[in-house]
Amino acid sequence: MKTLFLLAHPLRWRLIEVLASGEHTSGQLADAVQGERGVGREAVSKHLTRLARAGLVTTRVDMNHRIYRLSPRVIGALSALIEHLQQLREPTQYDDLDADGEGADIGIERSPTWEEEGEEGCWCIRKSKELEAI
């Protein structure tokens, strides 16, 4: 569950997406997310450290660079989790909730924009609190 919580943060998820294409130095990762998320290298470094401590990414040193890559163990675990959830899901319980088409896309959320992330916490946590209030 801690793994899913770590991945719920949009910046950490974006780092995982970038790393899915292969190994990257910390500088390459910072360059990839700085423009779209408006964060500095120090923030990227902190998020990479959290991902590494959780075992989601591995690090090796090559001369003056830290090189990051996704941990194959974690990819397998996430794949197994998704497969398990798909097996538990009852499609008729979620699909086509009403005849007029409203609510048919419940459960499919777009990615949050950087404006939606704020001091109130992670976008996904705020969204779940909104749903609880309903």
Side-chain angles (χ1 to χ4, degrees), residues 63-115:
M63 309 251 318
N64 293 331
H65 302 284
R66 284 188 173 270
I67 300 176
Y68 292 86
R69 66 176 269 198
L70 289 182
S71 169
R73 179 182 59 86
V74 173
I75 294 172
L78 291 174
S79 177
L81 174 65
I82 291 168
E83 186 175 318
H84 175 72
L85 291 174
Q86 287 175 332
Q87 290 173 354
L88 293 175
R89 181 181 179 265
E90 294 179 37
T92 57
Q93 185 178 2
Y94 299 102
D95 297 337
D96 301 319
L97 293 178
D98 51 24
D100 66 356
E102 288 187 39
D105 63 344
I106 289 179
I108 300 172
E109 295 284 344
R110 62 173 175 68
S111 296
T113 64
W114 67 269
E115 291 99 354

Side-chain angles (χ1 to χ4, degrees), residues 127-134:
K127 187 70 172 177
S128 64
K129 287 179 183 176
E130 290 173 14
L131 293 175
E132 286 176 5
I134 295 177

Side-chain angles (χ1 to χ4, degrees), residues 2 16 21 26 53 57 64-65 84 124 134:
K2 290 179 183 180
I16 293 293
S21 68
S26 54
R53 263 191 269 145
V57 298
N64 293 331
H65 302 284
H84 175 72
C124 56
I134 295 177

Side-chain angles (χ1 to χ4, degrees), residues 6-18 29-30 32-34 36-40 42-48 51 112 117 122:
L6 276 172
L7 293 176
H9 190 281
L11 178 59
R12 286 192 289 268
W13 182 252
R14 181 64 184 131
L15 290 168
I16 293 293
E17 287 178 327
V18 172
L29 290 166
V33 298
Q34 268 182 316
E36 63 188 63
R37 296 283 177 185
V39 296
E42 291 175 16
V44 171
S45 177
K46 288 179 183 180
H47 286 289
L48 286 169
L51 291 170
E117 300 167 19
C122 174

